[in-house]
Coordinates of all heavy atoms in Angstrom, one line a residue:
M1 N 6.4 45.6 6.7 CA 7.2 44.9 7.8 C 6.4 43.7 8.4 O 7.1 42.7 8.7 CB 7.5 46.0 8.8 CG 8.5 45.5 9.8 SD 10.1 45.3 9.1 CE 11.0 45.0 10.5
A2 N 5.1 43.9 8.5 CA 4.3 42.8 9.1 C 4.4 41.5 8.2 O 4.4 40.4 8.7 CB 2.9 43.2 9.4
N3 N 4.3 41.8 6.9 CA 4.4 40.6 5.9 C 5.7 39.9 6.1 O 5.7 38.7 6.0 CB 4.2 41.1 4.5 CG 2.8 41.6 4.2 OD1 1.9 41.2 5.0 ND2 2.6 42.4 3.2
L4 N 6.8 40.6 6.2 CA 8.1 40.0 6.4 C 8.1 39.1 7.7 O 8.7 38.0 7.7 CB 9.2 41.0 6.5 CG 10.6 40.5 6.6 CD1 11.0 39.6 5.4 CD2 11.6 41.6 6.7
F5 N 7.5 39.6 8.8 CA 7.5 38.8 10.0 C 6.7 37.6 9.8 O 7.1 36.5 10.3 CB 6.9 39.7 11.1 CG 6.7 39.0 12.4 CD1 7.8 38.7 13.2 CD2 5.5 38.5 12.9 CE1 7.7 38.0 14.4 CE2 5.4 37.9 14.0 CZ 6.5 37.6 14.8
V6 N 5.5 37.7 9.1 CA 4.7 36.5 8.9 C 5.4 35.4 8.0 O 5.4 34.2 8.3 CB 3.3 36.9 8.2 CG1 2.6 35.7 7.7 CG2 2.5 37.7 9.1
I7 N 6.1 35.9 7.0 CA 6.9 35.0 6.2 C 8.0 34.3 7.0 O 8.2 33.1 6.9 CB 7.5 35.7 5.0 CG1 6.4 36.1 4.0 CG2 8.5 34.9 4.2 CD1 6.8 37.1 2.9
L8 N 8.7 35.1 7.9 CA 9.7 34.5 8.7 C 9.2 33.4 9.7 O 9.7 32.4 9.9 CB 10.4 35.6 9.5 CG 11.6 35.2 10.4 CD1 12.7 34.6 9.6 CD2 12.1 36.4 11.2
V9 N 8.0 33.7 10.3 CA 7.4 32.7 11.2 C 7.0 31.5 10.4 O 7.3 30.4 10.9 CB 6.1 33.4 11.9 CG1 5.3 32.3 12.6 CG2 6.6 34.5 12.8
I10 N 6.4 31.6 9.2 CA 6.0 30.5 8.4 C 7.3 29.6 8.1 O 7.3 28.4 8.2 CB 5.2 30.9 7.2 CG1 3.9 31.4 7.6 CG2 5.1 29.7 6.2 CD1 3.1 32.0 6.5
F11 N 8.3 30.3 7.7 CA 9.6 29.6 7.3 C 10.1 28.8 8.5 O 10.5 27.7 8.4 CB 10.6 30.6 6.8 CG 12.0 30.0 6.6 CD1 12.2 29.3 5.4 CD2 13.0 30.1 7.5 CE1 13.4 28.7 5.2 CE2 14.2 29.5 7.2 CZ 14.4 28.8 6.1
C12 N 10.1 29.4 9.7 CA 10.6 28.7 10.9 C 9.7 27.5 11.2 O 10.3 26.5 11.6 CB 10.6 29.7 12.1 SG 11.9 31.0 11.9
L13 N 8.4 27.6 11.1 CA 7.5 26.5 11.4 C 7.8 25.4 10.4 O 7.8 24.2 10.8 CB 6.1 27.0 11.4 CG 5.6 27.8 12.5 CD1 4.2 28.3 12.3 CD2 5.7 27.1 13.8
L14 N 7.9 25.7 9.1 CA 8.1 24.7 8.1 C 9.5 24.0 8.3 O 9.6 22.8 8.2 CB 8.1 25.3 6.7 CG 6.7 25.6 6.2 CD1 6.8 26.3 4.9 CD2 5.8 24.4 6.2
H15 N 10.5 24.8 8.7 CA 11.8 24.2 9.0 C 11.7 23.2 10.2 O 12.3 22.2 10.1 CB 12.8 25.3 9.2 CG 14.2 24.8 9.4 ND1 14.7 24.5 10.7 CD2 15.2 24.5 8.6 CE1 15.9 24.0 10.6 NE2 16.2 24.1 9.3
S16 N 11.0 23.6 11.2 CA 10.9 22.7 12.4 C 10.2 21.4 12.0 O 10.6 20.4 12.5 CB 10.1 23.5 13.5 OG 10.8 24.6 13.9
L17 N 9.1 21.5 11.2 CA 8.4 20.3 10.8 C 9.2 19.4 10.0 O 9.2 18.2 10.2 CB 7.1 20.7 10.0 CG 6.0 21.3 10.8 CD1 4.9 21.8 9.9 CD2 5.5 20.4 11.9
V18 N 10.0 19.9 9.1 CA 10.9 19.1 8.3 C 12.0 18.4 9.1 O 12.3 17.3 9.0 CB 11.6 19.9 7.1 CG1 12.7 19.2 6.5 CG2 10.5 20.3 6.1
A19 N 12.5 19.1 10.1 CA 13.5 18.6 11.0 C 12.9 17.5 11.9 O 13.6 16.4 12.0 CB 14.1 19.7 11.9
V20 N 11.7 17.6 12.4 CA 11.1 16.6 13.2 C 10.8 15.3 12.3 O 11.1 14.2 12.7 CB 9.8 17.1 13.8 CG1 9.0 15.9 14.4 CG2 10.1 18.1 14.9
K21 N 10.3 15.5 11.1 CA 10.0 14.4 10.2 C 11.3 13.7 9.9 O 11.4 12.5 9.9 CB 9.3 14.8 9.0 CG 9.0 13.7 8.1 CD 8.1 14.0 6.9 CE 7.7 12.8 6.1 NZ 6.9 13.0 5.0
A22 N 12.4 14.4 9.6 CA 13.7 13.8 9.3 C 14.2 13.0 10.5 O 14.8 11.9 10.3 CB 14.7 14.9 8.9
Q23 N 14.0 13.5 11.7 CA 14.5 12.8 12.9 C 13.7 11.5 13.0 O 14.2 10.4 13.3 CB 14.3 13.6 14.1 CG 14.8 13.0 15.4 CD 14.6 13.9 16.6 OE1 13.8 14.8 16.5 NE2 15.3 13.6 17.6
L24 N 12.4 11.5 12.8 CA 11.5 10.3 12.9 C 11.9 9.3 11.8 O 12.0 8.1 12.1 CB 10.0 10.7 12.8 CG 9.4 11.4 14.0 CD1 8.0 11.8 13.6 CD2 9.5 10.5 15.2
L25 N 12.2 9.7 10.6 CA 12.5 8.8 9.5 C 13.9 8.2 9.7 O 14.1 7.1 9.2 CB 12.4 9.5 8.2 CG 11.0 10.0 7.8 CD1 11.1 10.7 6.4 CD2 10.0 8.8 7.7
S26 N 14.7 8.9 10.4 CA 16.1 8.4 10.5 C 16.3 7.4 11.7 O 17.3 6.8 11.9 CB 17.1 9.5 10.7 OG 16.9 10.2 11.9
Q27 N 15.2 7.2 12.5 CA 15.4 6.3 13.6 C 15.4 4.9 13.2 O 14.7 4.5 12.3 CB 14.2 6.6 14.7 CG 12.9 6.1 14.2 CD 11.8 6.5 15.2 OE1 12.1 7.3 16.1 NE2 10.6 6.0 15.0
N28 N 16.2 4.1 13.8 CA 16.3 2.7 13.5 C 15.6 1.9 14.5 O 15.4 2.4 15.6 CB 17.8 2.2 13.4 CG 18.5 2.8 12.3 OD1 18.0 3.0 11.2 ND2 19.8 3.2 12.5
I29 N 15.2 0.7 14.2 CA 14.6 -0.2 15.1 C 15.7 -0.9 15.9 O 16.5 -1.6 15.3 CB 13.7 -1.3 14.5 CG1 12.6 -0.5 13.6 CG2 13.1 -2.2 15.5 CD1 11.9 -1.5 12.7
S30 N 15.8 -0.6 17.2 CA 16.9 -1.2 18.0 C 16.6 -2.6 18.5 O 15.4 -2.9 18.8 CB 17.1 -0.3 19.2 OG 17.5 1.0 18.8
I31 N 17.6 -3.4 18.5 CA 17.4 -4.8 19.0 C 17.0 -4.6 20.5 O 17.6 -3.8 21.2 CB 18.8 -5.5 18.9 CG1 19.0 -5.8 17.4 CG2 18.7 -6.8 19.7 CD1 20.2 -6.6 17.1
G32 N 16.1 -5.4 20.9 CA 15.6 -5.4 22.3 C 14.4 -4.5 22.5 O 13.8 -4.4 23.5
T33 N 14.0 -3.8 21.4 CA 12.9 -2.8 21.5 C 11.6 -3.6 21.6 O 11.4 -4.6 21.0 CB 12.9 -1.9 20.2 OG1 14.1 -1.3 20.1 CG2 11.8 -0.9 20.3
K34 N 10.7 -3.0 22.4 CA 9.3 -3.5 22.5 C 8.3 -2.4 22.1 O 8.5 -1.3 22.4 CB 9.0 -4.0 23.9 CG 9.7 -5.2 24.4 CD 9.3 -5.6 25.8 CE 10.1 -6.8 26.2 NZ 9.7 -7.2 27.6
L35 N 7.2 -2.8 21.5 CA 6.1 -2.0 21.1 C 4.9 -2.4 22.0 O 4.6 -3.6 22.0 CB 5.7 -2.1 19.7 CG 6.7 -1.5 18.6 CD1 6.1 -1.7 17.2 CD2 6.9 0.0 18.9
F36 N 4.2 -1.4 22.5 CA 3.0 -1.7 23.2 C 1.9 -0.9 22.6 O 2.1 0.2 22.1 CB 3.1 -1.2 24.7 CG 4.2 -1.9 25.5 CD1 5.5 -1.5 25.5 CD2 3.9 -3.1 26.2 CE1 6.5 -2.2 26.2 CE2 4.8 -3.8 26.9 CZ 6.1 -3.3 26.9
P37 N 0.6 -1.4 22.5 CA -0.4 -0.8 21.8 C -0.9 0.6 22.3 O -1.3 1.4 21.6 CB -1.6 -1.8 21.8 CG -1.3 -2.8 22.8 CD 0.2 -2.7 23.1
N38 N -0.8 0.8 23.6 CA -1.3 2.0 24.2 C -0.2 2.9 24.7 O -0.4 3.7 25.6 CB -2.3 1.7 25.3 CG -1.7 0.7 26.3 OD1 -0.5 0.4 26.3 ND2 -2.5 0.3 27.3
S39 N 1.0 2.8 24.1 CA 2.1 3.8 24.5 C 2.8 4.3 23.2 O 2.6 3.7 22.2 CB 3.1 3.1 25.4 OG 3.8 2.1 24.8
Y40 N 3.6 5.3 23.4 CA 4.3 5.9 22.2 C 5.7 5.4 22.2 O 6.4 5.5 23.3 CB 4.2 7.4 22.3 CG 4.9 8.0 21.1 CD1 4.3 8.2 19.9 CD2 6.2 8.4 21.2 CE1 4.9 8.7 18.8 CE2 6.9 9.0 20.1 CZ 6.2 9.1 18.9 OH 6.8 9.7 17.8
P41 N 6.3 4.9 21.1 CA 5.5 4.7 19.9 C 4.8 3.3 19.9 O 5.3 2.4 20.6 CB 6.7 4.7 18.8 CG 7.9 4.2 19.6 CD 7.7 4.7 21.0
S42 N 3.8 3.2 19.2 CA 3.0 1.9 19.1 C 3.3 1.3 17.7 O 2.7 0.3 17.4 CB 1.6 2.1 19.3 OG 1.0 3.0 18.3
S43 N 4.2 1.9 17.0 CA 4.6 1.4 15.7 C 6.0 1.8 15.3 O 6.6 2.7 15.9 CB 3.6 1.9 14.6 OG 3.7 3.3 14.5
W44 N 6.5 1.1 14.3 CA 7.8 1.4 13.7 C 7.6 1.9 12.3 O 6.7 1.3 11.6 CB 8.7 0.2 13.7 CG 9.2 -0.3 15.0 CD1 9.8 0.5 16.0 CD2 9.2 -1.6 15.5 NE1 10.1 -0.3 17.0 CE2 9.8 -1.6 16.8 CE3 8.8 -2.8 15.0 CZ2 10.0 -2.7 17.6 CZ3 8.9 -4.0 15.8 CH2 9.5 -3.9 17.0
L45 N 8.3 2.9 11.8 CA 8.2 3.4 10.5 C 9.2 2.6 9.6 O 10.3 2.3 10.0 CB 8.5 4.9 10.4 CG 7.5 5.8 11.0 CD1 8.0 7.2 10.9 CD2 6.2 5.6 10.4
S46 N 8.9 2.5 8.3 CA 9.8 2.0 7.3 C 10.9 3.0 7.1 O 10.7 4.2 7.3 CB 9.1 1.6 6.0 OG 8.6 2.8 5.4
P47 N 12.0 2.6 6.5 CA 13.1 3.6 6.2 C 12.6 4.7 5.3 O 13.1 5.9 5.5 CB 14.2 2.8 5.6 CG 14.0 1.4 6.1 CD 12.5 1.2 6.3
S48 N 11.7 4.4 4.4 CA 11.2 5.5 3.5 C 10.2 6.4 4.2 O 9.9 7.5 3.7 CB 10.6 4.9 2.3 OG 9.4 4.2 2.7
G49 N 9.6 5.9 5.3 CA 8.6 6.7 6.0 C 7.2 6.5 5.3 O 6.3 7.2 5.8
L50 N 7.1 5.6 4.4 CA 5.8 5.5 3.7 C 4.9 4.4 4.3 O 3.7 4.4 4.1 CB 6.1 5.0 2.2 CG 6.8 6.0 1.4 CD1 7.1 5.5 0.0 CD2 6.0 7.3 1.2
F51 N 5.5 3.5 5.2 CA 4.7 2.5 5.8 C 5.0 2.5 7.3 O 6.1 2.8 7.8 CB 5.1 1.1 5.2 CG 4.7 1.0 3.8 CD1 5.6 1.3 2.8 CD2 3.4 0.6 3.4 CE1 5.2 1.1 1.4 CE2 3.0 0.5 2.1 CZ 3.9 0.7 1.1
G52 N 4.0 2.0 8.1 CA 4.1 1.8 9.5 C 3.8 0.4 9.8 O 3.0 -0.3 9.1
F53 N 4.5 -0.2 10.8 CA 4.2 -1.5 11.3 C 4.0 -1.5 12.8 O 4.8 -0.9 13.5 CB 5.4 -2.5 10.9 CG 5.3 -3.8 11.6 CD1 4.4 -4.8 11.2 CD2 6.0 -4.1 12.8 CE1 4.3 -6.0 11.8 CE2 5.9 -5.3 13.4 CZ 5.1 -6.3 12.9
G54 N 3.0 -2.1 13.2 CA 2.8 -2.2 14.7 C 1.3 -2.3 15.0 O 0.6 -3.0 14.3
F55 N 0.9 -1.7 16.1 CA -0.5 -1.9 16.6 C -1.3 -0.7 16.0 O -0.9 0.4 15.9 CB -0.5 -1.8 18.1 CG 0.2 -3.0 18.8 CD1 1.5 -2.8 19.3 CD2 -0.5 -4.1 19.0 CE1 2.1 -3.9 19.9 CE2 0.1 -5.2 19.6 CZ 1.4 -5.1 20.1
Y56 N -2.6 -1.1 15.8 CA -3.6 0.0 15.4 C -4.9 -0.5 16.0 O -5.1 -1.6 16.3 CB -3.7 0.2 13.9 CG -4.2 -0.9 13.1 CD1 -5.6 -1.1 12.9 CD2 -3.3 -1.9 12.6 CE1 -6.1 -2.1 12.1 CE2 -3.8 -2.9 11.8 CZ -5.2 -3.0 11.6 OH -5.7 -4.1 10.9
P57 N -5.8 0.5 16.4 CA -7.1 0.2 17.0 C -7.9 -0.7 16.1 O -8.0 -0.4 14.9 CB -7.7 1.5 17.2 CG -6.6 2.5 17.2 CD -5.6 1.9 16.3
K58 N -8.6 -1.7 16.7 CA -9.5 -2.6 15.9 C -10.6 -3.0 16.9 O -10.2 -3.7 17.9 CB -8.8 -3.8 15.3 CG -9.7 -4.7 14.6 CD -9.0 -5.9 14.1 CE -9.9 -6.9 13.4 NZ -9.3 -8.1 13.1
G59 N -11.8 -2.7 16.6 CA -12.9 -3.1 17.5 C -12.7 -2.6 18.9 O -12.4 -1.4 19.1
N60 N -12.7 -3.5 19.9 CA -12.5 -3.1 21.3 C -11.1 -3.4 21.7 O -10.9 -3.6 22.9 CB -13.6 -3.7 22.2 CG -13.5 -5.3 22.1 OD1 -12.8 -5.8 21.3 ND2 -14.3 -5.9 23.0
G61 N -10.2 -3.6 20.8 CA -8.8 -3.9 21.1 C -7.9 -3.3 20.1 O -8.0 -2.2 19.6
Y62 N -6.9 -4.1 19.7 CA -5.9 -3.7 18.7 C -5.6 -4.8 17.8 O -5.9 -6.0 18.0 CB -4.6 -3.4 19.5 CG -4.7 -2.2 20.4 CD1 -5.1 -2.4 21.7 CD2 -4.6 -0.9 19.9 CE1 -5.3 -1.3 22.6 CE2 -4.7 0.2 20.8 CZ -5.1 0.0 22.1 OH -5.3 1.0 22.9
A63 N -5.0 -4.5 16.6 CA -4.5 -5.4 15.6 C -3.1 -5.1 15.3 O -2.6 -4.0 15.6 CB -5.4 -5.4 14.4
V64 N -2.4 -6.1 14.7 CA -1.0 -5.8 14.3 C -1.0 -5.8 12.8 O -1.6 -6.7 12.2 CB -0.1 -6.9 14.8 CG1 1.3 -6.8 14.2 CG2 0.0 -6.9 16.3
G65 N -0.4 -4.8 12.2 CA -0.4 -4.8 10.7 C 0.5 -3.8 10.2 O 1.4 -3.2 10.9
I66 N 0.4 -3.6 8.9 CA 1.2 -2.7 8.1 C 0.2 -1.7 7.4 O -0.8 -2.2 6.9 CB 2.1 -3.4 7.0 CG1 3.1 -4.3 7.7 CG2 2.8 -2.4 6.2 CD1 3.8 -5.2 6.8
W67 N 0.5 -0.4 7.4 CA -0.4 0.5 6.8 C 0.4 1.6 6.1 O 1.6 1.8 6.3 CB -1.3 1.2 7.8 CG -0.6 1.8 9.0 CD1 -0.1 3.1 9.1 CD2 -0.2 1.2 10.2 NE1 0.5 3.3 10.3 CE2 0.5 2.1 11.0 CE3 -0.3 -0.1 10.7 CZ2 1.0 1.9 12.2 CZ3 0.2 -0.4 12.0 CH2 0.8 0.6 12.7
L68 N -0.2 2.2 5.1 CA 0.3 3.3 4.3 C 0.2 4.6 5.1 O -0.9 5.0 5.5 CB -0.4 3.4 3.0 CG 0.1 4.4 2.0 CD1 1.5 4.1 1.5 CD2 -0.8 4.4 0.8
I69 N 1.3 5.3 5.3 CA 1.4 6.5 6.1 C 1.0 7.7 5.1 O 1.4 7.6 3.9 CB 2.8 6.8 6.7 CG1 3.2 5.6 7.6 CG2 2.9 8.1 7.4 CD1 2.5 5.6 8.9
G70 N 0.4 8.7 5.6 CA 0.2 9.9 4.8 C -1.2 10.0 4.2 O -1.5 11.0 3.5
T71 N -2.0 8.9 4.3 CA -3.3 9.0 3.7 C -4.2 9.4 4.8 O -3.9 9.2 6.0 CB -3.8 7.6 3.2 OG1 -3.7 6.6 4.2 CG2 -2.9 7.2 2.0
P72 N -5.4 10.0 4.5 CA -6.3 10.5 5.6 C -6.6 9.4 6.7 O -6.8 9.7 7.8 CB -7.5 11.0 4.8 CG -7.0 11.2 3.5 CD -5.9 10.3 3.2
T73 N -6.7 8.2 6.3 CA -7.1 7.1 7.2 C -6.0 6.1 7.4 O -6.3 5.1 8.0 CB -8.4 6.4 6.7 OG1 -8.1 5.8 5.4 CG2 -9.6 7.3 6.6
N74 N -4.8 6.4 7.0 CA -3.7 5.4 7.2 C -4.1 4.1 6.7 O -4.3 3.1 7.4 CB -3.1 5.3 8.6 CG -2.3 6.5 8.9 OD1 -1.8 7.3 8.1 ND2 -2.0 6.7 10.2
T75 N -4.3 3.9 5.4 CA -4.8 2.7 4.7 C -4.0 1.4 5.1 O -2.8 1.4 4.9 CB -4.7 2.9 3.2 OG1 -5.4 4.0 2.9 CG2 -5.3 1.7 2.5
T76 N -4.7 0.5 5.7 CA -4.1 -0.8 6.1 C -3.9 -1.7 4.9 O -4.8 -1.9 4.1 CB -5.0 -1.5 7.2 OG1 -5.2 -0.7 8.3 CG2 -4.3 -2.8 7.6
V77 N -2.6 -2.2 4.8 CA -2.3 -3.0 3.6 C -2.1 -4.5 4.0 O -2.2 -5.4 3.2 CB -1.1 -2.5 2.8 CG1 -1.4 -1.2 2.2 CG2 0.1 -2.5 3.7
W78 N -1.9 -4.8 5.3 CA -1.8 -6.1 5.8 C -2.1 -6.2 7.3 O -1.7 -5.3 8.0 CB -0.4 -6.7 5.5 CG -0.1 -8.0 6.1 CD1 -0.5 -9.2 5.5 CD2 0.5 -8.3 7.3 NE1 -0.1 -10.2 6.4 CE2 0.5 -9.7 7.5 CE3 1.1 -7.5 8.3 CZ2 1.1 -10.4 8.6 CZ3 1.6 -8.2 9.5 CH2 1.6 -9.6 9.6
T79 N -2.8 -7.2 7.7 CA -3.1 -7.4 9.1 C -2.8 -8.9 9.5 O -3.2 -9.8 8.8 CB -4.6 -7.1 9.4 OG1 -4.9 -5.8 9.1 CG2 -5.0 -7.3 10.9
A80 N -2.1 -9.1 10.6 CA -1.8 -10.4 11.1 C -3.1 -11.0 11.6 O -3.8 -10.4 12.4 CB -0.7 -10.3 12.2
N81 N -3.4 -12.2 11.3 CA -4.5 -13.0 11.8 C -5.8 -12.1 11.8 O -6.5 -12.0 12.8 CB -4.2 -13.5 13.2 CG -3.0 -14.3 13.3 OD1 -2.8 -15.2 12.4 ND2 -2.2 -14.1 14.3
R82 N -6.1 -11.6 10.6 CA -7.2 -10.6 10.5 C -8.6 -11.1 10.9 O -9.4 -10.3 11.2 CB -7.2 -10.0 9.1 CG -7.7 -11.0 8.1 CD -7.8 -10.4 6.7 NE -8.3 -11.4 5.8 CZ -7.9 -11.5 4.6 NH1 -7.0 -10.7 4.1 NH2 -8.4 -12.5 3.8
D83 N -8.8 -12.4 10.9 CA -10.1 -12.9 11.3 C -10.2 -13.3 12.7 O -11.3 -13.6 13.2 CB -10.4 -14.2 10.4 CG -10.5 -13.9 8.9 OD1 -11.0 -12.7 8.6 OD2 -10.2 -14.7 8.1
D84 N -9.1 -13.1 13.5 CA -9.1 -13.4 14.9 C -9.6 -12.2 15.7 O -9.6 -11.1 15.2 CB -7.7 -13.7 15.4 CG -7.2 -15.1 14.9 OD1 -8.0 -15.8 14.3 OD2 -6.0 -15.4 15.1
P85 N -10.1 -12.4 16.9 CA -10.5 -11.3 17.8 C -9.4 -10.3 18.0 O -8.2 -10.6 17.9 CB -10.9 -12.0 19.1 CG -11.0 -13.4 18.8 CD -10.2 -13.7 17.6
P86 N -9.8 -9.1 18.3 CA -8.7 -8.0 18.6 C -7.8 -8.4 19.8 O -8.2 -9.2 20.6 CB -9.6 -6.8 19.0 CG -10.9 -7.0 18.5 CD -11.1 -8.5 18.5
I87 N -6.6 -7.9 19.7 CA -5.6 -8.1 20.8 C -5.8 -7.2 21.9 O -6.2 -6.0 21.8 CB -4.2 -7.9 20.2 CG1 -4.0 -8.8 19.0 CG2 -3.1 -8.0 21.2 CD1 -2.7 -8.5 18.2
S88 N -5.5 -7.6 23.2 CA -5.7 -6.8 24.3 C -4.6 -5.7 24.5 O -3.6 -5.9 23.8 CB -5.8 -7.6 25.6 OG -4.5 -8.1 25.9
S89 N -4.9 -4.8 25.3 CA -3.9 -3.7 25.5 C -2.6 -4.1 26.2 O -1.7 -3.3 26.3 CB -4.6 -2.5 26.2 OG -5.0 -2.9 27.5
N90 N -2.6 -5.3 26.8 CA -1.4 -5.7 27.5 C -0.5 -6.5 26.6 O 0.5 -7.1 27.1 CB -1.7 -6.4 28.8 CG -2.5 -7.7 28.6 OD1 -2.9 -8.0 27.5 ND2 -2.8 -8.4 29.7
A91 N -0.8 -6.7 25.3 CA 0.1 -7.4 24.4 C 1.3 -6.5 24.0 O 1.3 -5.3 24.2 CB -0.7 -7.8 23.1
Y92 N 2.3 -7.1 23.4 CA 3.4 -6.3 23.0 C 4.2 -7.1 21.8 O 4.0 -8.3 21.7 CB 4.4 -5.9 24.1 CG 5.1 -7.1 24.8 CD1 6.3 -7.6 24.3 CD2 4.5 -7.6 25.9 CE1 6.9 -8.7 25.0 CE2 5.1 -8.7 26.6 CZ 6.3 -9.2 26.1 OH 6.9 -10.3 26.8
L93 N 4.9 -6.3 21.0 CA 5.8 -6.9 20.0 C 7.2 -6.7 20.5 O 7.5 -5.6 21.0 CB 5.6 -6.2 18.7 CG 4.3 -6.4 18.0 CD1 4.1 -5.5 16.8 CD2 4.1 -7.8 17.5
W94 N 8.0 -7.7 20.4 CA 9.4 -7.6 20.9 C 10.4 -8.0 19.8 O 10.3 -9.1 19.3 CB 9.5 -8.5 22.1 CG 10.8 -8.6 22.8 CD1 11.8 -7.6 22.8 CD2 11.3 -9.6 23.6 NE1 12.9 -8.0 23.6 CE2 12.6 -9.3 24.1 CE3 10.7 -10.8 24.0 CZ2 13.3 -10.1 24.9 CZ3 11.5 -11.7 24.8 CH2 12.7 -11.3 25.2
F95 N 11.3 -7.1 19.5 CA 12.4 -7.4 18.6 C 13.6 -7.9 19.5 O 14.3 -7.0 20.0 CB 12.8 -6.2 17.8 CG 13.8 -6.4 16.7 CD1 13.7 -7.5 15.9 CD2 14.8 -5.5 16.5 CE1 14.6 -7.8 14.9 CE2 15.7 -5.8 15.5 CZ 15.6 -6.9 14.7
T96 N 13.8 -9.2 19.6 CA 14.7 -9.7 20.6 C 16.1 -9.5 20.2 O 16.4 -9.1 19.1 CB 14.5 -11.3 20.7 OG1 14.9 -11.9 19.5 CG2 13.1 -11.6 21.0
R97 N 17.0 -9.7 21.1 CA 18.5 -9.6 20.9 C 19.0 -10.6 19.9 O 20.0 -10.4 19.3 CB 19.2 -9.7 22.2 CG 18.8 -8.7 23.2 CD 20.0 -8.1 23.9 NE 19.6 -7.0 24.8 CZ 19.7 -5.7 24.5 NH1 20.1 -5.4 23.3 NH2 19.3 -4.8 25.3
Q98 N 18.3 -11.7 19.6 CA 18.6 -12.6 18.6 C 18.1 -12.3 17.3 O 18.3 -13.0 16.3 CB 18.1 -14.0 19.1 CG 18.8 -14.6 20.3 CD 18.2 -14.0 21.6 OE1 17.1 -13.5 21.6 NE2 19.0 -14.0 22.6
G99 N 17.3 -11.2 17.2 CA 16.8 -10.8 15.9 C 15.4 -11.3 15.6 O 14.9 -11.2 14.4
W100 N 14.8 -12.0 16.5 CA 13.4 -12.5 16.3 C 12.4 -11.5 16.6 O 12.6 -10.6 17.5 CB 13.2 -13.7 17.3 CG 14.0 -14.9 16.9 CD1 15.3 -15.1 17.3 CD2 13.6 -16.0 16.2 NE1 15.7 -16.3 16.8 CE2 14.6 -16.9 16.1 CE3 12.4 -16.4 15.6 CZ2 14.6 -18.1 15.5 CZ3 12.3 -17.6 14.9 CH2 13.4 -18.4 14.9
L101 N 11.3 -11.5 15.9 CA 10.1 -10.6 16.2 C 9.1 -11.5 16.9 O 8.5 -12.4 16.3 CB 9.6 -10.0 15.0 CG 8.4 -9.0 15.2 CD1 8.8 -7.9 16.1 CD2 7.8 -8.5 13.9
L102 N 8.8 -11.3 18.1 CA 7.9 -12.0 18.9 C 6.7 -11.2 19.3 O 6.9 -10.0 19.6 CB 8.5 -12.6 20.2 CG 9.7 -13.5 19.9 CD1 10.3 -13.9 21.3 CD2 9.3 -14.7 19.1

């Protein structure tokens, strides 16, 4: 009987994790949305959930880039202005109502 209980608990936990991941992957980037480096969310996921775009820690500040999700270190594949100094924590990315990314 104890084994059945453990299996049921594991099944419920796995179901919850799948539901949360599905909810995160189904979210769209809304017009007018802003990202801040030190608040949640600090990035947007691709529709596939394989890539993230937004802020990530760099040195004593932040950088803007694209990284591969699901690897132990979230491998960065592109960084904006990678040779420039880190961005401060009061910066933000804004997807304007006109469709511009500022």
Side-chain angles (χ1 to χ4, degrees):
M1 188 70 173
N3 289 339
L4 181 61
F5 179 74
V6 170
I7 291 171
L8 182 62
V9 168
I10 291 172
F11 175 77
C12 290
L13 289 173
L14 288 175
H15 183 270
S16 297
L17 290 174
V18 169
V20 167
K21 184 173 182 178
Q23 183 180 19
L24 288 174
L25 293 179
S26 67
Q27 69 186 11
N28 293 323
I29 302 168
S30 301
I31 290 180
T33 303
K34 291 183 181 179
L35 289 179
F36 297 89
N38 54 2
S39 66
Y40 181 82
S42 62
S43 64
W44 290 311
L45 292 178
S46 66
S48 68
L50 297 176
F51 295 93
F53 168 78
F55 294 99
Y56 66 90
K58 178 183 175 188
N60 59 352
Y62 298 90
V64 173
I66 298 172
W67 55 91
L68 183 62
I69 302 287
T71 60
T73 58
N74 285 345
T75 305
T76 303
V77 295
W78 176 80
T79 300
N81 303 318
R82 68 176 182 221
D83 295 328
D84 289 352
I87 299 168
S88 71
S89 62
N90 62 357
Y92 61 89
L93 293 170
W94 179 26
F95 187 45
T96 69
R97 299 225 177 261
Q98 294 78 23
W100 292 82
L101 180 62
L102 303 176

